[in-house]
Amino acid sequence: MTSATNTSTTTVAPAPRLECRTDRATLVHALTTVGIGVARRPIVPTLGGVLLDGRGGHLTVTTTDYETAVSVRVPDVVRTPGRLLIDHAEATKLLAALVKGTRKRDADTMPVTIRATVDGTAVLELGGYTMPVTTYPAEEFPTLPETPPTVAEVNRERFATDAARVLVAVGTDDTMPMFTGVRMQTAPGSLTLAGTDRYRLAVAEVPATTAATEGRSVSFPGGVLSAVLKHCTADRVRLGLDAAGDWVSLSCGALTVLTRPVDAQFPDYERLFPEVAVTARADRATLTQATTRATAVLEAKKHTRDSRTAAQVAVTVDPTGSVSIAPVLGEHADAVTAPDHPAEVDGATDTVRVLFAASYLRDALNALDGDTFTMQLATVTRPVLFTATDAPGYRHLLMPVRPSES
């Protein structure tokens, strides 16, 4: 007698296979933006990938190098929900390769589809082509924390302008991390940005809607902020900070950047501002042009080596009411003259001559707003403060170069 064995079969529903469709320009823009977060030399292949996460009809495109994560939300493009982790560089190059010879205007409007095949491999469809894209296991993508609560919200145009001014003074030497960040500090109704590289300091106060908690501060990595600013296009920027201070975020429209703050104490800069002894007010455009000409002379005379003391200009304030800017040419100093420009001078009884790194003075004057600037100093060896006469919300402090001993 044959006995029958009853068996039961459990059917496991297949995981959804992502399919999204948009135009090429939208996808290229998203990949370019999140490229900020791609590891330059990934220690594992997945850190060179971009996660495509489709849910609720919307696609979130995300990259991370563990220290920084960048995501862009693309609305109403997901046909089938799911997740794919594809190689960022390869996908970007394919989007360019498949439209070679096509006018950019026409290429940008072409429809593009990214979908998962039965075996989970991603393919890209564009211009009649179907091309496989290197695919990594989506579950290997790092789990990212939630975007922290907003502590300040500001006008994007004002924030971008002032952040760019402050970034001029931020250092890039990773061996001195305290100088590589932009310090962001909230106070009721304002967000203050500050950056320094030891030789100059820039501070800007931005009107803000701030959280109803005590003021908080964080040092936002300067390199990340610089890369992100050009991708901020919505009307408002939101700064977020978690309770422990482990993560800081910057959000603008569909863009969200999550990064670890600079873990180093930012200098106590307020004590550096001078007790003013001499003040000079002059036309900013005229003095900027004079600085540009002096810098060009230094280049012609080959005084533009990398050292900040190699290419110098001398700013001379005359108590009778003028300012001049001349290149410093070492042993030929006595042969150099420069035109005087009208200025309102207060507090000076003798001629004051201050030396600056040429490029630093040029940056300071270019960062100011308005027609007139004010220069304030205590001594020729102490930091000198530059402000726009009609816009004191931005301050630029510049360390003079000490004169050589005669």
Side-chain angles (χ1 to χ4, degrees):
M1 181 178 178
T2 304
S3 62
T5 302
N6 293 327
T7 60
S8 61
T9 302
T10 302
T11 302
V12 179
R17 294 194 296 271
L18 175 68
E19 180 177 346
C20 57
R21 183 180 177 88
T22 184
D23 59 82
R24 178 182 171 277
T26 297
L27 185 56
V28 168
H29 178 266
L31 291 177
T32 300
T33 302
V34 301
I36 300 167
V38 176
R40 296 295 171 257
R41 295 181 178 87
I43 56 176
V44 292
T46 53
L47 293 184
V50 53
L51 181 67
L52 309 179
D53 189 354
R55 62 183 75 182
H58 311 305
L59 181 69
T60 301
V61 184
T62 306
T63 60
T64 186
D65 60 2
Y66 284 132
E67 295 296 316
T68 299
V70 184
S71 64
V72 171
R73 184 172 180 269
V74 185
D76 304 321
V77 299
V78 173
R79 293 183 169 186
T80 304
R83 301 170 86 229
L84 278 174
L85 181 59
I86 63 175
D87 189 90
H88 179 272
E90 184 179 297
T92 301
K93 291 176 181 178
L94 282 174
L95 287 168
L98 296 178
V99 295
K100 282 288 186 182
T102 305
R103 289 188 308 175
K104 183 180 184 303
R105 183 175 59 185
D106 296 332
D108 284 348
T109 60
M110 293 173 64
V112 56
T113 298
I114 294 181
R115 60 179 176 82
T117 61
V118 175
D119 64 1
T121 301
V123 294
L124 185 150
E125 299 173 353
L126 173 63
Y129 294 91
T130 299
M131 293 290 163
V133 185
T134 298
T135 309
Y136 308 116
E139 60 272 15
E140 293 183 5
F141 192 79
T143 300
L144 302 174
E146 295 292 328
T147 303
T150 298
V151 295
E153 185 174 331
V154 297
N155 174 271
R156 186 266 308 169
E157 186 174 356
R158 175 67 183 272
F159 176 81
T161 298
D162 282 339
R165 289 172 176 162
V166 169
L167 282 165
V168 165
V170 173
T172 57
D173 186 351
D174 290 335
T175 65
M176 293 184 287
M178 70 288 292
F179 302 122
T180 63
V182 173
R183 184 174 185 260
M184 301 185 180
Q185 182 170 19
T186 65
S190 70
L191 175 67
T192 300
L193 311 177
T196 182
D197 62 0
R198 293 187 298 164
Y199 304 114
R200 48 191 171 170
L201 166 73
V203 182
E205 186 173 308
V206 184
T209 301
T210 53
T213 57
E214 63 182 22
R216 301 192 64 189
S217 65
V218 65
S219 189
F220 200 105
V224 176
L225 182 61
S226 178
V228 165
L229 281 180
K230 62 184 176 182
H231 298 290
C232 293
T233 56
D235 292 337
R236 307 288 289 176
V237 169
R238 297 182 303 280
L239 178 71
L241 182 62
D242 67 5
D246 293 332
W247 292 95
V248 59
S249 67
L250 187 149
S251 303
C252 185
L255 168 67
T256 299
V257 178
L258 189 65
T259 190
R260 294 188 183 276
V262 176
D263 187 19
Q265 183 67 38
F266 194 83
D268 179 14
Y269 60 84
E270 287 293 344
R271 61 184 178 83
L272 299 175
F273 288 100
E275 296 181 3
V276 179
V278 176
T279 298
R281 299 178 184 86
D283 183 76
R284 186 178 67 87
T286 300
L287 272 296
T288 300
Q289 186 179 69
T291 303
T292 299
R293 289 173 177 168
T295 303
V297 169
L298 292 166
E299 292 173 350
K301 297 290 290 183
K302 298 182 181 179
H303 280 247
T304 54
R305 299 186 301 277
D306 290 338
S307 171
R308 76 179 272 273
T309 61
Q312 300 172 24
V313 294
V315 177
T316 303
V317 179
D318 192 306
T320 61
S322 68
V323 174
S324 68
I325 298 179
V328 177
L329 299 180
E331 67 272 17
H332 304 294
D334 294 340
V336 177
T337 63
D340 294 325
H341 304 285
E344 297 178 15
V345 180
D346 297 317
T349 56
D350 297 312
T351 299
V352 177
R353 184 174 184 266
V354 191
L355 304 182
F356 294 108
S359 60
Y360 287 5
L361 179 61
R362 182 186 58 209
D363 288 344
L365 293 174
N366 282 331
L368 297 174
D369 265 339
D371 297 329
T372 307
F373 80 94
T374 299
M375 172 182 169
Q376 303 175 66
L377 68 151
T379 71
V380 298
T381 58
R382 296 289 295 166
V384 178
L385 177 62
F386 292 85
T387 58
T389 305
D390 300 325
Y394 174 76
R395 298 174 289 170
H396 198 108
L397 199 64
L398 199 55
M399 189 68 194
V401 178
R402 289 185 177 273
S404 300
E405 296 293 334
S406 56

